[in-house]
Amino acid sequence: MASTYDYDDAPTRHDEQTGPEGYDPNFVPDSVKSFVTHLYRHIREKNVYEIYEMYETSFQTLSDRFFKDSPWPSVDAVATYVDNDRVFCLLYREMWFRHLYARLSPTLKQRIDSWDNYCSLFQVVLRESLNMQLPNQWLWDMVDEFVYQFQSFCQYRAKMKNKTEQEIALLRQFDQAWNVYGVLNFLQALVEKSTIIQILEREKEGLEQFTATDGYDYNGGSNVLKVLGYFSTVGLLRVHCLLGDYHTGLKCLLPIDISQEGVYATVIGSHITAIYHYGFANLMLRRYVDAIREFNKILLHIYKTKQYHHKSSQYEQILKKNEQMYALLAICLSLCQQVKLLDETVNAQLREKYGEKMARMQRYDDEAFAIYDELFSYACPKFITPSAPSFEEPLVNYNQDAYRLQLKLFLYEVKQQQLLSGVRTFLKVYSTISLGKLANYMEVDEPTLRTILMTYKHKTHAVDSEGKIISNADVDFYIDDDMIHVVDTKPVRRYGDYFLRQIVKLEGVMNEMDRIKLE
């Protein structure tokens, strides 16, 4: 999972030619020579296990040991150790730039060079027949980092106030670098060229084994294009969420059935990114039930498995996304009180983190809106404005414009819900009530009450991806003549989880007792 610090929070930038003081791009330590030589050999031999170990473990170890505050050796310096292999050099540069973004602060020229490298790498994947297999983790990281660097570039470009004349000249000269259409076109081209949509369709008919083999080709072929195409569907969802186009984002993810186990779930970063953006998009489209259901599943999964990622370089990102999704879940449940959809473990964690705030959010006063604002700002994606800046004086920063617009739309929706809180309160008390009586209680006339009830119906229903109307209401009703009939939606109590937890606790106590030696 790519790092997500803001550009202003990154370490001090260094000179783009020489790097930090004392950095020699042509000096290659013996350990690095051995690393690139062995990695190159394993890639040629399609030894996925060894490639994964070197990529996930050795690269991080060497980075910590030799390159904590400096870039790796330049690609020209290591090319001689890998037979000047063009594809390997493109892969090495992709890792080189990823390390630079994570540990240092890229200059504008380096951002542009990284874009050029991605263009070259993806063009090779799209146009040539690659005879290699790479670990799914690496292929996901390529797509994830590609989208992250696009997001980072848009944020950087939008901060025009303190740009130097040289930076403005470079922005004018390389105006196609990290262009939104270029980014979307590459991701879409990977999806189409890989035929991943058709592959997943055939898999449903039992004609493919893509998920069963985790996307790998055990017949001597390559998995690179197929898996990059697969992960690009998640990448497209993320890009469209950053742009505020939630309908299109969810449409891009449709080929992947997230209700089932899939290749996306084999890489923790891909799994979390897919569900986080899926849930957020559904929240913004008022499909609260879908968002709650998927947030519940992923949060339970993280709760059960996070200890296995403790040593991973992505561990902090996993914890951060975990906290953000709890904040989004708190928002969803405050707007649509479907607590029955939650697992007891997730519900307990949620109440511990946000129980007090969720109670205050039900009041719909200024304090409640401030909490909605706070949680949304903490948990939302870093929205971007993809258009090129105006180079006319005076130069202004516009990096917060997209975020402010999305926050405004969200809070407008919350304010509309305020009108409905009184209706819901009365509907929960009665099984039937006349329009006149309810209008009297709410101190409005009957025509106004009918309008409020129609608004309630509208706000508690949404349109799903197939165009069907779905209900988010925990309390529903219908009107027959002048009588309101409330539909009973009492949740079915589930006792299974409770008994399972008590059985596990009992087994734990019995195991502890077995260890005690009686004198």
Side-chain angles (χ1 to χ4, degrees), residues 322-336:
N322 184 65
E323 293 301 314
Q324 287 180 318
M325 286 190 284
Y326 268 113
L328 293 176
L329 184 58
I331 291 173
C332 289
L333 286 168
S334 297
L335 296 172
C336 168

Side-chain angles (χ1 to χ4, degrees), residues 22 25 47 54-55 66 76 142-143 228 294 313 321 345 352 427-428 471 488:
N47 190 336
M54 297 198 72
Y55 171 79
F66 294 107
D76 295 332
M142 279 186 210
V143 173
L228 276 177
E294 292 306 322
S313 59
K321 277 285 176 273
T345 304
E352 184 181 326
L427 292 178
K428 288 191 77 172
S471 173
D488 188 11

Side-chain angles (χ1 to χ4, degrees), residues 439-492:
N440 188 42
Y441 284 153
M442 295 188 66
E443 299 178 352
V444 295
D445 55 29
E446 283 195 31
T448 303
L449 176 61
R450 285 182 182 273
T451 303
I452 292 173
L453 291 172
M454 286 297 292
T455 305
Y456 180 89
K457 277 286 187 184
H458 170 63
K459 290 297 179 185
T460 56
H461 287 73
V463 181
D464 67 10
S465 56
E466 297 175 356
K468 297 176 183 174
I469 295 176
I470 54 174
S471 173
N472 295 312
D474 61 327
V475 179
D476 210 348
F477 67 91
Y478 64 91
I479 299 175
D480 184 11
D481 290 330
D482 287 336
M483 289 297 293
I484 302 170
H485 299 266
V486 179
V487 179
D488 188 11
T489 55
K490 287 183 180 178
V492 178

Side-chain angles (χ1 to χ4, degrees), residues 364-430:
Y364 291 99
D365 53 15
D366 289 342
E367 184 185 13
F369 287 124
I371 296 172
Y372 276 110
D373 187 329
E374 174 197 334
L375 294 185
F376 182 88
S377 300
Y378 167 68
C380 71
K382 289 186 170 66
F383 299 107
I384 56 174
T385 303
S387 56
S390 169
F391 296 105
E392 303 301 321
E393 296 286 350
L395 298 174
V396 295
N397 292 345
Y398 62 96
N399 55 301
Q400 292 292 315
D401 288 1
Y403 154 71
R404 290 194 191 101
L405 175 60
Q406 296 299 322
L407 176 62
K408 179 182 175 183
L409 292 171
F410 169 73
L411 291 179
Y412 181 67
E413 180 65 36
V414 171
K415 285 184 179 179
Q416 289 180 320
Q417 297 271 359
Q418 181 182 20
L419 301 171
L420 310 176
S421 58
V423 178
R424 187 177 171 280
T425 303
F426 285 114
L427 292 178
K428 288 191 77 172
V429 175
Y430 290 92

Side-chain angles (χ1 to χ4, degrees), residues 178-417:
W178 295 109
N179 177 282
V180 62
Y181 296 113
V183 171
L184 290 171
N185 284 342
F186 269 124
L187 293 173
Q188 189 61 43
L190 288 167
V191 172
E192 291 176 3
K193 183 75 174 179
S194 66
T195 67
I196 190 63
I197 296 175
Q198 293 80 358
I199 289 171
L200 294 174
E201 284 296 324
R202 288 201 301 274
E203 185 175 50
K204 292 175 184 175
E205 300 168 10
L207 303 175
E208 286 280 352
Q209 293 289 313
F210 181 80
T211 302
T213 61
D214 287 339
Y216 293 108
D217 191 319
Y218 293 107
N219 298 315
S222 171
N223 72 325
V224 175
L225 178 58
K226 276 193 302 185
V227 178
L228 276 177
Y230 180 88
F231 286 136
S232 289
T233 59
V234 180
L236 283 166
L237 166 65
R238 183 177 168 191
V239 172
H240 286 296
C241 281
L242 294 175
L243 298 172
D245 186 356
Y246 307 111
H247 280 285
T248 306
L250 291 174
K251 190 177 178 182
C252 291
L253 194 68
L254 277 178
I256 299 177
D257 183 359
I258 61 169
S259 66
Q260 304 292 327
E261 286 294 316
V263 176
Y264 77 95
T266 62
V267 178
I268 186 67
S270 161
H271 194 182
I272 291 174
T273 299
I275 303 304
Y276 167 79
H277 289 94
Y278 174 87
F280 185 82
N282 278 302
L283 164 62
M284 296 300 281
L285 294 173
R286 296 206 322 272
R287 300 173 187 170
Y288 303 119
V289 169
D290 288 342
I292 292 167
R293 203 172 271 128
E294 292 306 322
F295 281 143
N296 175 66
K297 281 161 58 178
I298 188 68
L299 289 169
L300 187 62
H301 176 76
I302 295 172
Y303 179 80
K304 291 178 177 177
T305 63
K306 64 183 177 183
Q307 68 268 25
Y308 303 120
H309 303 282
H310 185 68
K311 294 183 179 179
S312 169
S313 59
Q314 303 171 17
Y315 186 66
E316 287 185 10
Q317 281 298 310
I318 293 170
L319 294 184
K320 180 181 178 181
K321 277 285 176 273
N322 184 65
E323 293 301 314
Q324 287 180 318
M325 286 190 284
Y326 268 113
L328 293 176
L329 184 58
I331 291 173
C332 289
L333 286 168
S334 297
L335 296 172
C336 168
Q337 298 182 22
Q338 295 275 18
V339 183
K340 63 185 179 183
L341 298 174
L342 293 188
D343 180 271
E344 287 186 25
T345 304
V346 174
N347 193 25
Q349 292 278 311
L350 180 67
R351 298 297 160 187
E352 184 181 326
K353 295 174 189 291
Y354 293 110
E356 185 183 336
K357 287 186 176 180
M358 287 174 69
R360 282 186 279 164
M361 286 160 80
Q362 293 304 308
R363 291 188 227 149
Y364 291 99
D365 53 15
D366 289 342
E367 184 185 13
F369 287 124
I371 296 172
Y372 276 110
D373 187 329
E374 174 197 334
L375 294 185
F376 182 88
S377 300
Y378 167 68
C380 71
K382 289 186 170 66
F383 299 107
I384 56 174
T385 303
S387 56
S390 169
F391 296 105
E392 303 301 321
E393 296 286 350
L395 298 174
V396 295
N397 292 345
Y398 62 96
N399 55 301
Q400 292 292 315
D401 288 1
Y403 154 71
R404 290 194 191 101
L405 175 60
Q406 296 299 322
L407 176 62
K408 179 182 175 183
L409 292 171
F410 169 73
L411 291 179
Y412 181 67
E413 180 65 36
V414 171
K415 285 184 179 179
Q416 289 180 320
Q417 297 271 359

